[in-house]
Amino acid sequence: MLNLKDPTLLRQQCYINGEWRDADDGDTITVTNPATGQAIGTVPQMGAAETRRAIEAANVAWPAWRKKTAKERSAILRKWNDLMLENADDLARLMTAEQGKPLTEAKGEIVYAASFIEWFAEEAKRVAGDTLPSPWPDRRIVVTREPIGVCAAITPWNFPSAMITRKAGPALAAGCPMVLKPAELTPFSALALAALAERAGVPAGVFSVVTGHSRAIGGELTSNPTVRKLSFTGSTGVGKLLMEQCASTIKKLSLELGGNAPFIVFDDADLDAAVEGAMASKYRNAGQTCVCANRIYVQDGVYDAFAAKLVAAVAKLKVGDGMEPGVTQGPLIEEKAVAKVEQHIADALSKGARLLAGGQRHPLGQSFFQPTVLADVTSDMLVAGEETFGPLAPLFRFKDDEEVLALANDTEFGLASYFYSRDIGRIWRVAEGLESGMVGVNTGLISNEIAPFGGVKQSGLGREGSKYGMDDYLVIKYICMGGI
Ligand code: ADP
């Protein structure tokens, strides 16, 4: 059914301390294809005991891994990157099968995921220290940057590969081992990455993958004192819980949580470009990304024209099984996700919104949903305050810059924001006024390995990718050299 060129990339066991293992009690979880509802296979239902062993193995593997030269670690990571690219077709098929996104998007994610391994393979060689001017004549101040130690990662299902490499890349490059718990809905992408890491020569214990009970595994990863750092991507609610759980052992935290991205179209925008950006930002991955446009604010003068162009673009989307050629929107990940989109639409319509496109489950059944556009959306509707995480574009109307900035910032989240304008003064004012970690100006796509990804407010802590991304996995040591 999967037609993999290399069927051994479909792994149904966990990878711990360099060995492929079942759960202690033999329990498994069945993974299903959201487009068909059919089972793809099973993965072990592990818990705290297996996780503890993975953490201990990481701790044992740590000294040798950190002692390797940066160049040696870099060469292994480089090989991992190359293997991902060589196997991109298979990795993409696995991803589409378990996650649902169209095959072209899945392939794009594999290339994007590999780019973090490549980038941090290069950055490994640039973890430099510092010397500072001393206040004493007989002592010198030296600053080094060291790997923090055993790292844990918990990742979501919406980017089953990239959210892993964005964490494992810098961790391994810095000299840290990592224990990963991937999302239970998309474990095969993670296990295939582990198979390639093994082939690339990542030593036993340096990268382990544990699947199963999220609370039991998460409980161990957050309470075990050997783990020095947790990196989590997922919902704000779970992020808060994990932060609390990490408090008793003061772990360093990277959190990439929910967003509620505003997408603002000013009167002077290039409307065709704005529609193209909105389509990419809103409907990519069926609206299931944390940087998806969640609230589209359109200025009075271009509101109707923008709405008409957006509806025309939405009509061209092709909904279907992501494995089929030409499909641009796959199914949502599960029934619960469909229910949330339906709730947001029903709430908006009951409060006076107008339906311009879609609005219903798709005739294909399963968790397929029609790409939807709503007009006359206002701040009192659910969609204004919550991330929809689905293919719903709500159009709000605004009059001037001051009003829209206040509306855009009226959220506890601050991950991405976007706006379209040609006026240089306005571009600076709005870019500086938006409370978010990332701003797309005249573009709906901002993610790449070179730029720092992350949020402010309740969207999280830390930055992933970029020359800043390594800092999350390093600690600073000050050495005072006396007796000179
Ligand atoms: P999403 O909305 O992306 O599903 P979640 O925050 O529910 O966001 O899931 C992200 C990741 O967090 C997944 O790997 C999931 O299994 C994990 N997770 C969910 N609840 C817990 C928990 N209580 N402890 C540890 N991990 C959890």
Side-chain angles (χ1 to χ4, degrees):
M1 171 185 75
L2 282 170
N3 293 325
L4 301 183
K5 282 180 241 165
D6 177 357
T8 67
L9 286 176
L10 174 66
R11 296 286 174 139
Q12 305 197 57
Q13 288 179 302
C14 288
Y15 185 63
I16 298 177
N17 198 17
E19 290 174 355
W20 294 93
R21 305 297 296 256
D22 294 320
D24 287 351
D25 60 7
D27 251 18
T28 57
I29 323 171
T30 300
V31 182
T32 53
N33 180 332
T36 61
Q38 282 169 6
I40 304 166
T42 64
V43 292
Q45 174 83 287
M46 289 187 168
E50 296 93 332
T51 307
R52 207 170 302 130
R53 288 204 290 278
I55 294 169
E56 280 157 17
N59 202 34
V60 169
W62 184 33
W65 183 244
R66 74 180 292 187
K67 274 202 195 90
K68 279 192 190 297
T69 64
K71 196 174 167 112
E72 287 168 334
R73 287 197 300 273
S74 177
I76 293 172
L77 288 172
R78 182 78 213 192
K79 182 93 192 92
W80 195 9
N81 161 75
D82 294 347
L83 287 169
M84 283 183 69
L85 295 178
E86 279 165 30
N87 292 281
D89 287 334
D90 281 354
L91 295 175
R93 292 186 77 80
L94 273 174
M95 190 189 295
T96 294
E98 65 180 355
Q99 202 274 347
K101 67 178 65 178
L103 203 50
T104 45
E105 275 187 43
K107 185 93 179 278
E109 183 184 333
I110 296 303
V111 174
Y112 174 56
S115 77
F116 288 104
I117 303 292
E118 181 195 48
W119 172 263
F120 285 105
E122 293 158 355
E123 287 294 287
K125 294 179 270 184
R126 298 188 189 102
V127 178
D130 217 350
T131 57
L132 302 175
S134 171
W136 304 293
D138 62 339
R139 278 169 274 178
R140 301 289 178 267
I141 297 175
V142 179
V143 177
T144 61
R145 291 155 88 212
E146 300 186 343
I148 187 166
V150 175
C151 296
I154 299 179
T155 53
W157 49 263
N158 61 342
F159 288 93
S161 291
M163 296 306 100
I164 294 171
T165 56
R166 206 149 80 165
K167 302 179 191 310
L172 269 56
C176 303
M178 177 168 265
V179 178
L180 164 74
K181 190 208 86 64
E184 46 274 52
L185 297 170
T186 58
F188 290 130
S189 294
L191 294 167
L193 288 186
L196 296 177
E198 183 182 27
R199 283 183 212 171
V202 173
V206 170
F207 181 66
S208 292
V209 180
V210 182
T211 60
H213 290 288
S214 58
R215 284 204 194 132
I217 298 171
E220 186 62 33
L221 291 175
T222 50
S223 65
N224 192 312
T226 300
V227 175
R228 306 273 176 87
K229 189 218 156 70
L230 171 74
S231 179
F232 170 73
T233 298
S235 60
T236 299
V238 174
K240 287 179 184 176
L241 181 75
L242 296 173
M243 194 173 186
E244 263 177 54
Q245 291 176 192
C246 284
S248 63
T249 48
I250 315 286
K251 294 191 201 313
K252 182 159 164 158
L253 282 168
S254 297
L255 300 173
E256 206 269 89
L257 309 175
N260 182 2
F263 185 104
I264 307 167
V265 184
F266 287 100
D267 276 345
D268 65 325
D270 173 339
L271 279 196
D272 290 320
V275 168
E276 197 185 322
M279 291 300 295
S281 171
K282 178 70 253 184
Y283 293 100
R284 189 166 56 106
N285 203 5
Q288 303 171 113
T289 91
C290 47
V291 292
C292 272
N294 200 57
R295 300 168 287 155
I296 302 181
Y297 293 103
V298 190
Q299 200 159 7
D300 250 352
V302 293
Y303 191 91
D304 294 330
F306 177 84
K309 281 177 187 282
L310 186 70
V311 168
V314 163
K316 293 189 190 133
L317 288 173
K318 186 174 171 206
V319 178
D321 185 332
M323 291 287 188
E324 285 166 22
V327 164
T328 49
Q329 185 188 302
L332 297 191
I333 189 72
E334 56 184 344
E335 175 57 30
K336 220 167 51 183
V338 180
K340 185 162 192 196
V341 178
E342 286 186 322
Q343 183 199 15
H344 279 189
I345 294 172
D347 170 78
L349 292 176
S350 76
K351 292 174 183 161
R354 263 186 307 133
L355 187 66
L356 298 188
Q360 305 282 330
R361 283 168 189 261
H362 196 276
L364 281 170
Q366 297 297 337
S367 52
F368 289 100
F369 203 86
Q370 294 174 338
T372 299
V373 182
L374 287 175
D376 301 341
V377 179
T378 49
S379 297
D380 58 326
M381 299 175 186
L382 273 183
V383 67
E386 286 177 17
E387 203 173 16
T388 306
F389 238 62
L392 160 62
L395 306 184
F396 299 72
R397 191 185 288 268
F398 74 93
K399 288 205 169 55
D400 57 40
D401 299 26
E402 212 177 312
E403 179 196 7
V404 79
L405 258 183
L407 287 168
N409 290 336
D410 185 19
T411 163
E412 67 262 36
F413 299 107
L415 193 58
S417 28
Y418 309 87
F419 66 94
Y420 279 72
S421 168
R422 308 301 308 173
D423 180 291
I424 190 71
R426 169 184 270 165
I427 287 174
W428 274 109
R429 283 192 307 275
V430 175
E432 289 175 354
L434 285 166
E435 294 174 352
S436 64
M438 298 172 283
V439 181
V441 184
N442 295 319
T443 178
L445 288 177
I446 53 176
S447 303
N448 61 76
E449 78 280 18
I450 300 153
F453 191 103
V456 298
K457 302 196 312 198
Q458 292 182 38
S459 286
L461 300 171
R463 290 293 178 271
E464 296 195 306
S466 83
K467 66 175 180 174
Y468 310 104
M470 196 80 95
D471 291 343
D472 283 26
Y473 297 87
L474 295 168
V475 283
I476 285 177
K477 179 178 277 174
Y478 155 44
I479 304 171
C480 187
M481 302 281 293
I484 292 166

